[in-house]
Amino acid sequence: LLSAAFLGTGLCNAGAEAEGFGQEARTTPPAAEFNWTAQHKEGRYSNVTQKCWEFFVNLMRNVTASELCEWKIISRPYSLLQSCLEDWADRLNYGYPNTLAEQYIFQSHHRYFHNCTLEHQVYFDPPEDVLLAMIIAPICLIPFLVTLVIWRSKDGKAQP
């Protein structure tokens, strides 16, 4: 009789423990829920950015190889890609700039714009000796001009 009461009590406690464990299992901690939503946001953003990329590729099909480096031609598709990536990041509260958006931007440069060079000459700093002469010449000229002005003003003639 005592063993049945003991076993019965043990079973009841085990049932209570199991029920408590089940309640804990049904409630997820806030950190786990946050990770799920972050993963969900990342997944959604990944899908949307793929659509942005496909739209950009479709627009770039209309651009000939000779026009790939002309900003007037490519600015619209490029700006639309950037805007799409940024707007969807804002809508999903994902944060911009982000690594996924940067990957698409880098991919666009690698795929379409890697052969673009600057048409205009790039200006570099002059050599140090030329730069030094350009700095020292005006500095040395200032005392000469001040001396010339003072010498001319001691003319002795009355100034009107």
Side-chain angles (χ1 to χ4, degrees), residues 21-156:
F21 180 76
Q23 287 175 349
E24 288 176 8
R26 282 193 298 263
T27 56
T28 56
E33 186 174 329
F34 176 76
N35 289 340
W36 182 83
T37 57
Q39 290 173 352
H40 182 69
K41 269 196 254 186
E42 186 174 347
R44 286 189 64 198
Y45 186 68
S46 179
N47 292 337
V48 168
T49 55
Q50 181 62 35
K51 298 294 181 191
C52 294
W53 175 253
E54 290 169 3
F55 181 68
F56 173 73
V57 169
N58 190 35
L59 289 175
M60 291 303 289
R61 284 190 184 123
N62 299 327
V63 179
T64 64
S66 62
E67 296 174 329
L68 279 177
C69 297
E70 294 182 34
W71 181 246
K72 290 180 182 179
I73 307 286
I74 63 165
S75 66
R76 183 174 177 267
Y78 188 82
S79 297
L80 287 174
L81 172 65
Q82 185 178 2
S83 177
C84 183
L85 295 171
E86 188 173 354
D87 290 347
W88 276 103
D90 287 343
R91 287 180 191 167
L92 295 173
N93 198 20
Y94 189 66
Y96 187 88
N98 56 60
T99 54
L100 192 57
E102 286 177 358
Q103 287 174 357
Y104 281 110
I105 296 295
F106 287 138
Q107 185 176 346
S108 71
H109 284 259
H110 179 71
R111 184 171 176 178
Y112 294 104
F113 314 124
H114 66 279
N115 286 331
C116 294
T117 57
L118 296 174
E119 294 177 11
H120 303 289
Q121 182 181 4
V122 178
Y123 297 106
F124 296 102
D125 288 338
E128 283 188 35
D129 53 343
V130 174
L131 186 62
L132 190 60
M134 292 173 63
I135 293 171
I136 291 178
I139 293 172
C140 292
L141 192 59
I142 291 171
F144 172 73
L145 292 175
V146 169
T147 305
L148 183 64
V149 168
I150 293 172
W151 179 62
R152 294 294 291 163
S153 67
K154 290 188 176 188
D155 207 6

